[in-house]
Each structure stands twice: as C-alpha cells, then as structure tokens.
Amino acid sequence: KRLKRHQRGIYLSAARAMLFNRVLAQRVEEGSWNRLLPGERVIFSGSRSGFSQAEFDQESVRRFQEMDLHPSGPLWGKGLLGSEGEAAALELRVLEPWQEWRQGLEAFGLKLERRALRTPVAELEWSRKGEILHLGFVLPKGCFATTLLREFIDYRLPFRDNST
C-alpha cells in the first residue's frame, strides 16, 4: 500500500522504536541498562555522539556515574552497529528474530543511529494529597513523559472475582 510521506515516516519511526525498545527491555530485564558492558557504545549527555570501548577506564566510569555518559541502543538502519563485543552480541541476539524488519528499514534508506538507554530526570518534585500523586520534572528534548510515568505505574489490576 502506498502511503503519504508523513504517514510512512511515522510507521518507519515506530518500527525503529519497537526494535530499540526490544533491546532496552532485554537490558532492563537482565539489569544491564544502567551499567557499561564491554564494547558499549556510550552517548554523551545532551548529544548523539559518543564512542565505544572494549573496557572502560576510571574516568569513563566516573562520567557514567555522573550521568555525563549513557549506554546506548540502536535505531536500526544502514551502517555500522557502533557497539562491539558483549554489547553488540546482546543487541544482535535480541534483534535476530526481526531480520525482515531490519532489512526493510535499511531498504528505505534509513541510517543506523544510536540513542541513550537512560535519561536524566531534572527538577523532580512530587507531592501526594490523599490518593492523588502530583509529579513535576524536566526531561531533555526528545524524551517522553509517558515513558517515565510508565516506570512509576504498576499496570497489574487487582483480581476481582465477580462470580459471587
């Protein structure tokens, strides 16, 4: 089906985000989203540039702990993965079942990019009045409040037996 350019862009962005989220979900599940893996491609805070290293020195670890460097995940497209070693192996393992999607994104000419797996939250404020929680915070450009809020909310609904 032929789509208008804007619609096609939305679908392509959604596909890239879904693949990125798969990598992030795996890293969250195994507890590696907030640590440096060997071969990690790190992103400078407030930037899209970074570097990868087989092992990180004390200075890089300090900058990581101060939220100046962040682990990253792929937004799929043509080009080099950017990560190496253990980090690259994890990403490729998670995305292996999505080979057709990856090829499709490359066929549309998208370039592989990297995004941070974590985001610093600034000016966090909260208050509670009864059962109502009020939150205030500032996120960097391109980050979504809904993503942060999802981490605060337990979506499991209490079981109700309506048979009685």
Side-chain angles (χ1 to χ4, degrees):
K1 182 177 178 181
R2 297 198 50 82
L3 299 171
K4 293 181 180 176
R5 183 182 177 119
H6 176 71
Q7 241 181 344
R8 183 179 65 222
I10 291 171
Y11 287 144
L12 292 173
S13 292
R16 291 175 93 189
M18 189 275 297
L19 296 177
F20 174 90
N21 288 339
R22 296 246 177 220
V23 171
L24 177 56
Q26 180 63 38
R27 301 265 318 241
V28 168
E29 184 177 312
E30 66 184 35
S32 67
W33 68 274
N34 196 25
R35 65 181 173 89
L36 296 172
L37 297 178
E40 187 84 66
R41 176 83 182 171
V42 292
I43 302 283
F44 296 107
S45 194
S47 171
R48 291 187 180 173
S49 63
F51 62 92
S52 60
Q53 286 184 223
E55 297 293 330
F56 291 91
D57 59 19
Q58 287 183 327
E59 177 64 12
S60 294
V61 171
R62 181 190 62 76
R63 292 179 71 188
F64 176 80
Q65 292 169 339
E66 292 176 357
M67 301 290 281
D68 187 37
L69 295 176
H70 306 282
S72 70
L75 284 176
W76 206 265
K78 288 182 184 180
L80 299 175
L81 188 55
S83 58
E84 303 167 349
E86 185 180 329
L90 180 147
E91 293 169 2
L92 293 173
R93 177 176 43 85
V94 169
L95 297 179
E96 195 278 327
W98 301 95
Q99 183 66 26
E100 286 183 64
W101 286 54
R102 291 167 30 203
Q103 290 171 346
L105 290 166
E106 291 173 14
F108 273 101
L110 295 165
K111 290 173 34 181
L112 193 137
E113 300 176 48
R114 308 282 304 184
R115 291 293 183 273
L117 296 179
R118 63 183 193 168
T119 299
V121 178
E123 301 177 38
L124 179 61
E125 299 175 357
W126 68 277
S127 65
R128 183 175 170 185
K129 293 180 183 172
E131 293 186 8
I132 299 174
L133 176 65
H134 296 270
L135 293 172
F137 50 85
V138 175
L139 296 173
K141 179 181 174 186
C143 297
F144 297 96
T146 52
T147 304
L148 176 66
L149 293 174
R150 182 182 64 221
E151 299 305 317
F152 284 108
I153 298 171
D154 183 355
Y155 285 102
R156 294 173 294 183
L157 298 175
F159 177 77
R160 291 187 180 162
D161 184 357
N162 293 328
S163 63
T164 56

